[in-house]
């Protein structure tokens, strides 16, 4: 019931929100409610393909600087799947990343890809302060939230591109 309410609130926010930061905030709220987590983040790839934080909850500036740019999927991945680490202290993560997680007090985490038309746009991150046994079924609401956020991002980007094109054509017509 709580998951359904969180998903409903997210979709309602996406439909009425004018700006992406509002959508990011609603998505973080929904992911924390659905996954019973206190920390989460949204990272999107920039023009150079580097994943950068767009929104986060409960993460220090030092942590964000240390992990920005990290991606568990190779560049150009067309079908990324969710990845999770049940216990960062004993996982297969490389040592610098593991140390960063331990310093931040993160013991378990999940990477949820944000994809649109087989393009990897970014990732959703879910964090736990204690080891957490993830299941595929448990992550389904997070994947649903990720798809809604991706759709909203693409819709906003398409609207901005169309507006820019109209402005260019209008300027061209005035000049002619």
């Amino acid at each position: 019931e709580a998951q359904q309410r969180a998903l409903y609130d997210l979709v309602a926010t996406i439909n009425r929100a004018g700006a992406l930061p509002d959508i990011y905030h609603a998505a973080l709220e929904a992911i924390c409610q659905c996954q019973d987590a206190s920390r989460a983040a949204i990272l999107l790839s920039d023009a150079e393909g580097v994943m950068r934080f767009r929104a986060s909850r409960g993460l220090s500036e030092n942590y964000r600087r240390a992990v920005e740019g990290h991606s568990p999927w190779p560049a150009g991945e067309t079908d990324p799947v969710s990845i999770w680490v049940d216990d960062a202290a004993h996982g297969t993560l490389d040592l610098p990343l593991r140390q960063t997680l331990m310093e931040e007090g993160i013991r378990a985490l999940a990477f949820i890809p944000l994809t649109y038309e087989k393009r990897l746009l970014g990732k959703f991150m879910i964090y736990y302060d204690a080891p957490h046994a993830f299941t595929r079924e448990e992550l389904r609401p997070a994947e649903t939230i990720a798809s809604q956020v991706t759709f909203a991002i693409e819709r906003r980007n398409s609207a901005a591109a169309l507006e820019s094109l109209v402005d260019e054509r209008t300027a061209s017509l005035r000049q002619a």
Side-chain angles (χ1 to χ4, degrees), residues 14-94:
I14 287 172
N15 286 334
R16 72 174 178 270
L20 285 173
D22 296 335
I23 293 169
Y24 299 152
H25 175 77
L28 291 177
E29 182 69 27
I31 205 86
C32 287
Q33 283 181 5
C34 287
Q35 303 303 137
D36 195 26
S38 59
R39 300 194 264 184
I42 297 172
L43 292 89
L44 297 176
S45 295
D46 64 12
E48 290 80 40
V50 177
M51 288 202 190
R52 304 216 183 264
F53 282 87
R54 294 297 188 255
S56 66
R57 174 181 286 181
L59 301 171
S60 71
E61 182 64 32
N62 287 339
Y63 174 81
R64 291 192 306 262
R65 267 196 309 270
V67 301
E68 194 164 68
H70 173 269
S71 175
W73 307 285
E77 175 71 45
T78 58
D79 197 21
V81 296
S82 297
I83 298 170
W84 59 86
V85 178
D86 292 338
D87 189 348
H90 303 293
T92 58
L93 301 170
D94 63 7

Side-chain angles (χ1 to χ4, degrees), residues 55-156:
S56 66
R57 174 181 286 181
L59 301 171
S60 71
E61 182 64 32
N62 287 339
Y63 174 81
R64 291 192 306 262
R65 267 196 309 270
V67 301
E68 194 164 68
H70 173 269
S71 175
W73 307 285
E77 175 71 45
T78 58
D79 197 21
V81 296
S82 297
I83 298 170
W84 59 86
V85 178
D86 292 338
D87 189 348
H90 303 293
T92 58
L93 301 170
D94 63 7
L95 186 58
L97 180 56
R98 187 175 344 174
Q99 288 174 329
T100 301
L101 292 169
M102 295 293 107
E103 288 170 8
E104 188 73 7
I106 296 168
R107 288 296 300 272
L109 64 157
F111 303 84
I112 311 297
L114 297 173
T115 58
Y116 186 78
E117 295 181 349
K118 298 215 176 255
R119 285 183 298 124
L120 179 64
L121 303 180
K123 64 183 176 181
F124 235 131
M125 298 297 305
I126 306 166
Y127 304 96
Y128 292 91
D129 299 339
H132 182 87
F134 288 96
T135 65
R136 167 80 36 217
E137 188 63 32
E138 171 192 14
L139 290 177
R140 287 199 200 289
E143 292 168 343
T144 299
I145 292 167
S147 70
Q148 291 297 313
V149 169
T150 303
F151 176 75
I153 291 167
E154 282 301 305
R155 190 170 71 181
R156 295 295 186 276

